[in-house]
């Protein structure tokens, strides 16, 4: 059985999105900037997509800038706020320790340029505290950027509360909503969000397309110069087919959110319930504030990459925050931010499921994971020491 | 191209000589859990100084398990002096290569063998040059 359980990494393109985009690759390929009637069909499609994406987020069409994806949107939002801040003598930014690298690396770059960055603690449950945000705000704070939902553990942050606080203090607030859009309700107006990033391929649109919402009145600077597209805020001929697909996919996800959630939650709960029976395992992140499909657990005494390879051999696609899969010597910064010891974080597994998964697939995962964990533990000297009491169990 | 060669995948999925030797003459353990890999090597040495049996336990990624497995194959049945000559490069070659960031695993395998031999020498009271048994600390653990 083949089970795709890595929907937080990317998703399949939905039939609705594919059908919507295909004409703009073959028949309606005109450049939206061209004058003739043929190309105006692309212009109209772009306008409709903008209106649809805006409606899904509670925004106005003119507040949407289409980008190449979530990383570009994050970069533009942060660098723009930083540049504006510098003009006002404000060079302090607030974020969290477990943001996506598109945010963290951009902040690192700003630090090298003389900005100060406060990374808030996300506590053991992976949820930022409003009082921590309030305490971190300074006279010279030019941006608060806090993710809507964490990509590895799926925890939702108190976005509406943070938005209200920032609005009250007059500080721009950006949220990386790449893992939230299409999966959990978003209303940029009600939540007092000034800037918000989304990425199409996380909700069944193709890769390479995303959007940045920028509230009307919030100044935004370009990352890419060279044309008047996107109201002059993002040059480059629009990815019309991708944008149309993203709008169709987001609309579909938002319209079916309740039904999808109702389908995903029982599958997720079964995974948690059954995999928690594995001794010395741990669920990472609060289950109270959580996107529907993400399951993140640690299994003591094993290492994540070998776990993934064996799951792959059993047809299961998943991911891990172990050092070997992160490409560095340290395990996932998200799991370390929760306070997990390195040796525990190395044994992490993320399963991210969606509405395309079935209970039969969940049962397959539940059958395979305990066997694989057991197999790896039996050859693990760490597990041997844990069992003999020569090393204390940490979970 | 796949991350690992077929040989690596074979030794990972069907590791040779996994387990423990209760009557081992030498046991070597290298690496640490914080870094994400530990190898423990058990050797049994016969009266002629030949490694008659060898087993391993490994906590780590696919290539850590595969290099352990290959190392046991390369030293089993060999005189102890020959096992000491096992280089990480020989392990890598026998596995048809490793990705650059996994070479570290082959170094651990080499060092696990040396640590087991050193333990055997210590137990038997056999003299040796300590310089031949230096274990490299891994970079990330020094900070």
């Amino acid at each position: 059985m083949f089970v795709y359980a890595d929907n937080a990494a990317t998703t399949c393109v939905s039939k609705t999105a594919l059908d919507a985009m295909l004409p703009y690759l073959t028949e309606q390929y005109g450049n939206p900037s061209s004058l003739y009637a043929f190309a105006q069909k692309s212009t109209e499609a772009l306008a409709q997509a903008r209106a649809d994406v805006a409606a899904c987020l509670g925004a106005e069409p003119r507040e949407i800038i289409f980008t190449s994806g979530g990383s570009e949107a994050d970069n533009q939002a942060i660098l723009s706020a930083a540049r504006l801040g510098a003009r006002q003598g404000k060079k302090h930014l607030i974020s969290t320790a477990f943001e996506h690298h598109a945010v963290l690396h951009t902040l690192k770059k700003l630090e090298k340029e003389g900005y100060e960055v406060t990374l808030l603690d996300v506590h053991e449950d992976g949820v930022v505290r409003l009082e921590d945000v309030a305490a971190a705000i300074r006279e010279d704070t030019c941006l608060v950027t806090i993710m809507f939902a964490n990509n590895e553990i799926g925890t939702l942050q108190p976005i509406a509360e943070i938005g209200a606080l920032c609005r009250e203090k007059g500080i721009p607030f950006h949220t990386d909503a790449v893992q939230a859009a299409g999966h959990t309700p978003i209303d940029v107006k009600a939540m007092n969000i000034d800037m918000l990033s989304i990425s199409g391929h996380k909700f069944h649109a193709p890769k390479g397309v995303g959007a940045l919402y920028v509230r009307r009145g919030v100044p935004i600077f370009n990352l890419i110069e060279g044309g008047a597209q996107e109201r002059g805020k993002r040059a480059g001929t629009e990815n019309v087919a991708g944008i149309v697909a993203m709008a169709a996919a987001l609309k579909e996800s938002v319209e079916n959110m309740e039904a999808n959630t109702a389908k995903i939650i029982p599958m997720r709960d079964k995974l948690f319930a059954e995999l928690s029976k594995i001794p010395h395992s741990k669920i990472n992140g609060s289950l109270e504030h959580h996107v529907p499909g993400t399951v993140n657990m640690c299994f003591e005494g094993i290492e994540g990459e070998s776990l993934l390879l064996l799951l792959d051999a059993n047809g299961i696609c998943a991911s891990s925050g172990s050092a070997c899969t992160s490409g560095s010597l340290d395990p996932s910064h998200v799991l370390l931010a929760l306070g997990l010891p390195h040796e525990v974080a190395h044994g992490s597994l993320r399963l991210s499921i969606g509405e395309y998964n079935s209970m039969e697939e969940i049962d397959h995962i539940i059958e395979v994971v305990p066997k694989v964990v057991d197999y790896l533990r039996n050859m693990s000297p760490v597990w041997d020491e844990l069992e003999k009491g020569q090393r204390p169990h940490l979970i | 191209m796949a991350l690992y060669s077929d040989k690596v995948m074979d030794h990972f999925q069907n590791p040779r000589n996994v387990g423990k030797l209760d009557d081992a003459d030498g046991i070597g353990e290298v690496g640490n859990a914080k870094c994400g890999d530990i190898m423990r090597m058990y050797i049994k040495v016969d009266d002629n100084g030949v490694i008659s049996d060898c087993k391993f336990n490994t906590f780590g990624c696919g290539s850590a398990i595969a290099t352990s497995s290959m190392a046991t194959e390369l030293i089993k049945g060999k005189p102890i002096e020959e096992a000491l000559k096992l280089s990480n490069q020989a392990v890598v070659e026998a596995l048809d290569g490793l990705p650059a960031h996994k070479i570290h695993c082959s170094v651990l395998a080499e060092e696990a063998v040396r640590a087991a031999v050193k333990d055997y020498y210590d137990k038997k009271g056999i003299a040796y040059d300590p310089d031949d048994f230096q274990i490299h600390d891994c970079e990330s653990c020094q900070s």
Side-chain angles (χ1 to χ4, degrees):
Chain A
M1 186 182 265
F2 174 78
V3 182
Y4 184 76
D6 204 14
N7 287 278
T10 195
T11 58
C12 65
V13 173
S14 74
K15 190 172 181 310
T16 308
L18 183 67
D19 288 347
M21 81 184 286
L22 281 178
Y24 297 94
L25 293 170
T26 49
E27 297 133 40
Q28 304 295 334
Y29 52 83
N31 187 326
S33 300
S34 300
L35 189 71
Y36 35 80
F38 173 64
Q40 285 303 305
K41 291 196 172 143
S42 299
T43 318
E44 283 159 24
L46 203 56
Q48 187 57 50
R50 198 181 306 281
D52 290 343
V53 169
C56 288
L57 301 174
E60 292 166 31
R62 57 180 290 164
E63 294 175 317
I64 302 297
I65 298 172
F66 291 119
T67 67
S68 64
S71 293
E72 184 190 331
D74 284 342
N75 271 260
Q76 186 167 10
I78 295 167
L79 293 174
S80 188
R83 193 168 148 198
L84 188 72
R87 285 186 181 177
Q88 302 165 337
K90 297 178 175 181
K91 296 182 80 173
H92 175 239
L93 301 95
I94 298 170
S95 191
T96 74
F98 74 164
E99 295 295 313
H100 190 274
H101 286 126
V103 169
L104 286 180
H105 288 180
T106 306
L107 294 172
K108 253 288 163 287
K109 174 173 145 171
L110 287 171
E111 265 185 324
K112 282 186 191 149
E113 292 172 11
Y115 287 82
E116 276 183 76
V117 175
T118 302
L119 295 182
L120 301 173
D121 187 10
V122 292
H123 303 265
E124 244 179 88
D125 58 1
V127 180
V128 171
R129 303 295 190 267
L130 184 66
E131 54 269 31
D132 291 350
V133 182
I137 290 176
R138 310 191 322 207
E139 282 291 312
D140 62 342
T141 303
C142 63
L143 181 72
V144 173
T145 173
I146 292 174
M147 67 199 325
F148 207 115
N150 182 267
N151 50 317
E152 287 187 35
I153 58 172
T155 51
L156 287 163
Q157 305 307 308
I159 293 302
E161 290 82 354
I162 298 167
L165 173 73
C166 291
R167 187 62 54 86
E168 183 200 318
K169 303 272 181 192
I171 298 165
F173 172 47
H174 166 253
T175 182
D176 171 349
V178 165
Q179 294 290 339
H183 303 290
T184 196
I186 296 177
D187 185 331
V188 291
K189 295 283 179 282
M191 292 171 167
N192 289 303
I193 297 165
D194 293 313
M195 293 185 280
L196 175 140
S197 310
I198 65 169
S199 177
H201 74 105
K202 307 293 190 184
F203 50 81
H204 305 291
K207 294 153 191 69
V209 62
L212 175 64
Y213 152 80
V214 184
R215 186 171 63 85
R216 205 168 156 179
V218 173
I220 190 82
F221 296 107
N222 290 45
L223 280 186
I224 302 170
E225 305 289 349
Q229 294 90 353
E230 302 303 296
R231 300 170 56 81
K233 299 304 177 195
R234 201 276 188 186
T237 300
E238 300 87 343
N239 173 8
V240 180
I243 289 166
V244 166
M246 178 168 71
L250 186 59
K251 212 172 147 199
E252 186 180 34
S253 296
V254 169
E255 281 169 4
N256 297 320
M257 195 180 288
E258 234 172 278
N260 290 343
T261 302
K263 186 184 176 195
I264 295 166
I265 294 282
M267 295 195 281
R268 178 196 77 182
D269 287 349
K270 191 168 185 187
L271 278 176
F272 275 133
E274 294 300 318
L275 298 183
S276 291
K277 289 181 185 163
I278 295 173
H280 302 287
S281 60
K282 182 184 187 303
I283 293 170
N284 297 317
S286 160
L287 289 184
E288 204 181 322
H289 311 282
H290 213 277
V291 288
T294 306
V295 170
N296 193 308
M297 295 184 68
C298 284
F299 305 104
E300 202 174 14
I302 62 164
E303 193 278 335
E305 193 216 63
S306 44
L307 175 62
L308 293 191
L309 289 170
L310 290 174
L311 292 183
D312 185 25
N314 284 280
I316 300 168
C317 307
S319 77
S320 168
S322 82
C324 281
T325 56
S326 75
S328 76
L329 290 167
D330 281 325
S332 141
H333 69 288
V334 173
L335 299 178
L336 295 181
L338 300 182
L340 288 180
H342 278 66
E343 39 280 62
V344 174
H346 283 301
S348 79
L349 172 67
R350 180 187 71 180
L351 298 159
S352 44
I353 55 172
E355 65 271 29
Y356 289 79
N357 290 111
S358 67
M359 207 47 112
E360 288 69 39
E361 293 176 349
I362 301 303
D363 289 338
H364 180 63
I365 296 173
I366 289 166
E367 193 195 321
V368 171
V369 172
K371 284 184 195 161
V372 169
V373 169
D374 218 36
Y375 171 77
L376 289 171
R377 279 178 171 174
N378 279 333
M379 72 163 90
S380 162
V382 175
W383 184 249
D384 184 45
E385 287 173 20
L386 288 165
E387 285 298 275
K388 286 182 180 153
Q390 293 162 347
R391 177 190 280 274
H393 278 289
L394 298 172
I395 57 174
Chain B
M1 203 191 101
L3 173 65
Y4 293 130
S5 69
D6 291 345
K7 263 244 177 87
V8 173
M9 285 309 291
D10 177 34
H11 274 263
F12 166 62
Q13 292 188 310
N14 311 291
R16 283 44 152 193
N17 308 307
V18 182
K20 294 174 204 163
L21 285 176
D22 290 332
D23 57 347
D25 295 314
I27 303 174
E29 185 172 303
V30 294
N32 78 53
K34 195 173 172 244
C35 292
D37 30 34
I38 294 187
M39 284 181 199
R40 193 190 287 165
M41 196 72 77
Y42 301 83
I43 54 170
K44 184 88 193 135
V45 183
D46 69 14
D47 296 340
N48 302 318
V50 169
I51 296 173
S52 56
D53 203 358
C54 177
K55 298 254 187 233
F56 80 90
N57 264 191
T58 289
F59 159 85
C61 61
S63 67
I65 290 167
T67 53
S68 311
S69 167
M70 183 52 88
T72 61
E73 289 247 290
L74 291 172
I75 65 167
K76 204 169 163 180
K78 300 276 167 63
I80 207 148
E81 294 76 20
E82 213 170 303
L84 271 180
K85 288 181 195 150
L86 177 78
S87 71
N88 80 296
Q89 199 48 44
V91 175
V92 173
E93 278 166 22
L95 287 168
D96 293 338
L98 280 176
H101 65 289
K102 298 288 186 180
I103 296 295
H104 149 85
C105 295
S106 66
V107 176
L108 271 184
E110 175 194 318
E111 291 184 341
V113 170
R114 298 172 87 79
V117 171
K118 180 175 179 291
D119 183 54
Y120 163 73
Y121 283 167
D122 285 340
K123 281 179 178 156
K124 289 277 173 182
I126 298 170
Y128 57 85
D129 181 354
D131 286 350
D132 290 341
F133 292 92
Q134 278 188 1
I135 304 295
H136 304 99
D137 286 325
C138 82
E139 316 156 34
S140 72
C141 303
Q142 292 173 339
S143 54

